[in-house]
Every structure is written in structure tokens, then in C-alpha cells.
């Protein structure tokens, strides 16, 4: 499963005029938050745990806002290029921190696409063609003339077509600004030299047949904020597109078998239909959250690092069926804790609603259509206190119960 994403934040944003005269384009406010904050949350919900922001002009603003922070389950690092390097040069500048495979996204555009399924498609393609070095996400638009377009031969990219008045008003597939890349492509970029990933690097890989592409599902929401018209539209559209119902799952005894203070990766055993239930909820457009009491930390049986390892294993195994958990909340506290630092009566511990309330505050959730699925009365009480409909899991297929609940 992929762990790393890079977001390009170095564009000048000249078409936005005064809006970007003293502000990086990704830091412009959308619905009361920087556009970049929305994008980080969207990337992190697919299980990405490390995000690198590649900043340029006014990069100190991005450093101040995000560098060294942990947001939505991801650790954020900001790199500021010493001079304008272009998309390819910025990528080479980040070479020392790159994983063997990583996502790369434009910091000024948004597409509603499942990044876990995008990554699976690349891994499946590479199993048949190990020489593939890149995969692009494409979007069908009614007017490809403004963006330039991409032509395909099967799942291979065949050519990039520049913007052209002749194609104005004509539909086509365009580059959505999301890539899955192998680190080896850095060898094609001269160190310290300004160059374009799209113009100088990808065409060479395309000519060698090493670039695959996946089209986003028809009707997927796509927008870039690079012109005043779209920046105005995104203020209303993005909050509406992002708001969706959620499934809140209990963990032990609902998604996985309860082994008693379950925390070892080797003890991860899924309940019947649980992984499929998560993937089904993802495909149906629901956010998927896990809220779990973890008093084993308070009692000294394990530490919070063990919880993180267990959750990473869950995400890894879910990715094999095309699923993911958007966010996981746990409460390590208990009034009778053996470890003093965790001894307290915490509102986040179920039946308290605190974990659900924190998720509702942080994520754009349609509460009226959301459901909590758990195996205990405490789960049902927590759901009721948070204003969420509860469904009790009493054995059998978690997938069947989910289908009956949404």
C-alpha cells in the first residue's frame, strides 16, 4: 500500500491577479480554509501517512501553516525550492525524501477519485508490465480545448495534445493532475535544472511505452482553481461535493475478532464480510470511520504505537480488496488506569460520544444519512448521543448488515 504523496504548491497563479499577489495559490481560502487543507484531508483519507508539500514563491506561508504537523493521520513536511524549478525540477529537488513509489498531485486542482483503486490499477498493470514507470489519472471533460488532452492506446498513454482553439467545445480526456510515479524517473531530470514533468519528462516515457492511464469514473467532480471563474465556483461546489454520509464502525468484535486487548498485527482476523463491507461503503460514496476504545493502553498492556501498527495492517489488508478507512479515532483512557497518564474519565470513551463528535467536527458529514455499526450497547449509546443512527452487529456478515443499513 502506498504511504507517500507529494503535492506541488509552487505555481505563480498569475491568472488570479491580486488574489495571488502575496499568497500562494493553494493557500487561497475555500469555504473558510486554505484549499490546500482540503486537499491534504482528501489525500490522507486514502491511507497516505506522509505528505510532502513542494513549495515555491511565498513558500514560508506554507511552512508556517503545515510543516511538521500531523493532520488527518498524515505527517506533513514542506520543502521550499531555492528558485523556480518547474514541476520536473521540483520533483528532482525532493529526490532525497522520495519513496520507491509515490503519488504526485497538483496543489491547485481537485478530482473526486478513489486513490486506493488508482494505486491498485497501477500495481496490477506493473505485474504484467514491470517496465511501467508512471500512471496518470484522466478526466473526461466536455471542453478539452482549454486544458489540452491525452490520447490512449489501450491503457497506455500515446500522446499529449496541446491546448488548441480547434478543439474548443469538443469533449476529451485531460490530465487531472494526479500521478503515481516510480522514483526511477528522477534519473531523467538533470539535478538543479528547471524543467517540466509534463513537457520534458513524461513524453520521453510515453515514447518508450512506460506510462499507463486510468480514467476517473464518468461524472467525477473535477475543478482547478487557476482562473477567477473556477475559484469563485469552487467556494460553493467543493463543500457540497465533499459532504457525504459516513459509516462509523466499532473495531474489536465488529470489524475484527476480539482477542482480548487486541493489538498484535498477527492477531488481526476479520469478521465475516467486514473487509467487503468497508469496500462497499467506499464504493457507495460513504466516508468510513472507526471509533474504538483502547483501554489496554491505560492498563499497560501495550502502547499507542502498537495501535498505529495494527491500524496500518488493517489499511494494508483492506487495500487488497479496494477498500480503505478514511479516519480512525481511539480512546486510550480509563478511570481505573494502571498508567497514570491515561487515568481519567474521558468523554471520548464509549458510551461517551466524543470520538464521533470529533469526527463530525473535522469532516464534512451528512449526519442524517450516517450510521454507527457496533457490537455493544456502548456503541449504540455513543451513536445516539452524537445524533447518529445505530445498528447492532450480532454476528454473521458485516456486509449484509451494512447493506440493510444504508
Amino acid at each position: 500500500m502506498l504511504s507517500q504523496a507529494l503535492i506541488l504548491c509552487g505555481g505563480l497563479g498569475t491568472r488570479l491577479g491580486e488574489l495571488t499577489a502575496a499568497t500562494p495559490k493553494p493557500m487561497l481560502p475555500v469555504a473558510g480554509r486554505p484549499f490546500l487543507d482540503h486537499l491534504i484531508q482528501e489525500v490522507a483519507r486514502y491511507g497516505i501517512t506522509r505528505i510532502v508539500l513542494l513549495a515555491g514563491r511565498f513558500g514560508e506561508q506554507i511552512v508556517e501553516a503545515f510543516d511538521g504537523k500531523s493532520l488527518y493521520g498524515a505527517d506533513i513536511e514542506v520543502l521550499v525550492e531555492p528558485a523556480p524549478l518547474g514541476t520536473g525540477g521540483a520533483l528532482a529537488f525532493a529526490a532525497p525524501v522520495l519513496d520507491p513509489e509515490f503519488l504526485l498531485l497538483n496543489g491547485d486542482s481537485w478530482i473526486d477519485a478513489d486513490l486506493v483503486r488508482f494505486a491498485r490499477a497501477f500495481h496490477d498493470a506493473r505485474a504484467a508490465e514491470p517496465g511501467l514507470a508512471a500512471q496518470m489519472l484522466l478526466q473526461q471533460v466536455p471542453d478539452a480545448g482549454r486544458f489540452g488532452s491525452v490520447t490512449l492506446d489501450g491503457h497506455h498513454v500515446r500522446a499529449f495534445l496541446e491546448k488548441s482553439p480547434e478543439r474548443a467545445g469538443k469533449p476529451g480526456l485531460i490530465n487531472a493532475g494526479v500521478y503515481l510515479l516510480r522514483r526511477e524517473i528522477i534519473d531523467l531530470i538533470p539535478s538543479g535544472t528547471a524543467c517540466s514533468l509534463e513537457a520534458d519528462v513524461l513524453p520521453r516515457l510515453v515514447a518508450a511505452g512506460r506510462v499507463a492511464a486510468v480514467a476517473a469514473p464518468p461524472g467525477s467532480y473535477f475543478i482547478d482553481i487557476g482562473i477567477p471563474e473556477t475559484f469563485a465556483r469552487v467556494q460553493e461546489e467543493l463543500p457540497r461535493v465533499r459532504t457525504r454520509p459516513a459509516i462509523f464502525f466499532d473495531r474489536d468484535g465488529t470489524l475484527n475478532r476480539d482477542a482480548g486487548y487486541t493489538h498484535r498485527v498477527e492477531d488481526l482476523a476479520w469478521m465475516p464480510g467486514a473487509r467487503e463491507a468497508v469496500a462497499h461503503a467506499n464504493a457507495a460514496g460513504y466516508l468510513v470511520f472507526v471509533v474504538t476504545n483502547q483501554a489496554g493502553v491505560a492498563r499497560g498492556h501495550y502502547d499507542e504505537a502498537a495501535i498505529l501498527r495494527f491500524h496500518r495492517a488493517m489499511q494494508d489488508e483492506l487495500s487488497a480488496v479496494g477498500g480503505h478507512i478514511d479516519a480512525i479515532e481511539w480512546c486510550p483512557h480509563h478511570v481505573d488506569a494502571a498508567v497514570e497518564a491515561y487515568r481519567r474519565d474521558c468523554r471520548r470513551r464509549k458510551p461517551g460520544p466524543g470520538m464521533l463528535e470529533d469526527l463530525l467536527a473535522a469532516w464534512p458529514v451528512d449526519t442524517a444519512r450516517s450510521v454507527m455499526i457496533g457490537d455493544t450497547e456502548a456503541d449504540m449509546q455513543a451513536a445516539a448521543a452524537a445524533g447518529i443512527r445505530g445498528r447492532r452487529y450480532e454476528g454473521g456478515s458485516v456486509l449484509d448488515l451494512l447493506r440493510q443499513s444504508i
Side-chain angles (χ1 to χ4, degrees):
M1 179 177 174
L2 284 175
S3 298
Q4 186 183 55
L6 281 69
I7 301 178
L8 294 166
C9 304
L12 298 179
T14 53
R15 292 177 297 172
L16 288 170
E18 287 301 312
L19 288 171
T20 51
T23 304
K25 184 165 43 172
M27 290 295 290
L28 292 175
V30 174
R33 296 158 51 193
F35 179 76
L36 186 54
D37 189 84
H38 291 279
L39 192 56
I40 288 170
Q41 187 176 46
E42 179 69 6
V43 172
R45 78 184 186 92
Y46 292 102
I48 298 296
T49 58
R50 291 179 297 115
I51 296 176
V52 179
L53 307 179
L54 300 177
R57 189 178 69 142
F58 306 129
E60 67 279 359
Q61 296 179 31
I62 297 176
V63 170
E64 182 178 357
F66 295 108
D67 192 40
K69 294 187 177 180
S70 292
L71 296 172
Y72 315 115
D75 295 330
I76 314 297
E77 179 181 5
V78 181
L79 301 179
V80 181
E81 59 187 6
L85 294 173
T87 51
L91 194 57
F93 176 66
V97 303
L98 295 181
D99 282 358
E101 287 185 357
F102 56 93
L103 286 167
L104 180 70
L105 303 94
N106 288 336
D108 61 355
S109 62
W110 179 284
I111 184 166
D112 188 18
D114 189 321
L115 297 179
V116 169
R117 293 180 183 272
F118 180 63
R120 262 188 92 197
F122 184 61
H123 295 154
D124 290 346
R126 272 185 53 80
E129 299 179 65
L132 289 175
Q135 179 174 272
M136 301 174 59
L137 183 63
L138 306 180
Q139 170 75 356
Q140 181 76 29
V141 296
D143 181 1
R146 174 175 164 253
F147 299 93
S149 56
V150 179
T151 59
L152 300 179
D153 179 9
H155 68 272
H156 290 90
V157 176
R158 185 176 67 186
F160 301 112
L161 304 178
E162 296 294 331
K163 303 174 187 178
S164 169
E166 297 178 0
R167 288 193 300 278
K170 296 181 180 179
L173 288 169
I174 67 165
N175 179 359
V178 179
Y179 310 88
L180 202 163
L181 303 175
R182 298 279 297 175
R183 190 185 184 281
E184 63 206 54
I185 76 165
I186 300 299
D187 295 339
L188 301 177
I189 305 172
S191 179
T193 301
C195 73
S196 166
L197 177 68
E198 298 83 359
D200 301 321
V201 180
L202 287 177
R204 295 167 64 184
L205 293 169
V206 165
R210 301 184 65 194
V211 180
V214 172
S220 296
Y221 177 73
F222 171 80
I223 197 167
D224 77 88
I225 64 169
I227 60 175
E229 175 190 355
T230 55
F231 182 69
R233 278 176 40 209
V234 79
Q235 302 295 332
E236 179 184 347
E237 292 178 356
L238 191 61
R240 184 176 69 246
V241 168
R242 295 201 64 207
T243 299
R244 59 186 70 201
I247 304 296
F248 296 79
F249 284 107
D250 172 52
R251 201 191 81 175
D252 303 335
T254 302
L255 286 180
N256 59 280
R257 297 192 184 279
D258 189 350
Y261 297 115
T262 311
H263 67 281
R264 300 190 309 163
V265 171
E266 52 266 37
D267 291 333
L268 173 56
W270 295 90
M271 301 300 283
R275 287 197 304 166
E276 294 76 10
V278 172
H280 182 81
N282 296 148
Y286 282 70
L287 294 165
V288 175
F289 301 135
V290 169
V291 288
T292 174
N293 289 346
Q294 290 296 315
V297 175
R299 297 187 184 280
H301 298 305
Y302 50 92
D303 58 16
E304 292 193 67
I307 299 175
L308 290 170
R309 289 192 295 271
F310 192 86
H311 291 164
R312 189 63 187 172
M314 293 179 74
Q315 294 279 36
D316 287 345
E317 294 193 14
L318 282 167
S319 69
V321 297
H324 70 276
I325 299 166
D326 294 276
I328 305 177
E329 294 287 334
W330 65 90
C331 179
H333 303 112
H334 197 281
V335 292
D336 298 322
V339 180
E340 185 176 355
Y342 293 101
R343 189 183 305 135
R344 66 178 205 166
D345 184 8
C346 183
R347 182 177 173 82
R348 284 169 54 86
R349 178 175 171 79
K350 295 177 292 184
M355 287 187 286
L356 287 82
E357 291 172 340
D358 288 346
L359 287 165
L360 291 172
W363 294 81
V365 177
D366 180 350
T367 305
R369 296 170 56 205
S370 298
V371 183
M372 168 81 196
I373 295 178
D375 67 321
T376 69
E377 182 58 28
D379 296 320
M380 300 301 99
Q381 291 176 17
I388 300 294
R389 180 164 52 98
R391 290 297 303 269
R392 186 79 173 262
Y393 173 66
E394 297 177 330
S397 168
V398 181
L399 176 59
D400 288 347
L401 178 59
L402 176 73
R403 284 173 167 160
Q404 295 164 16
S405 304
I406 62 175

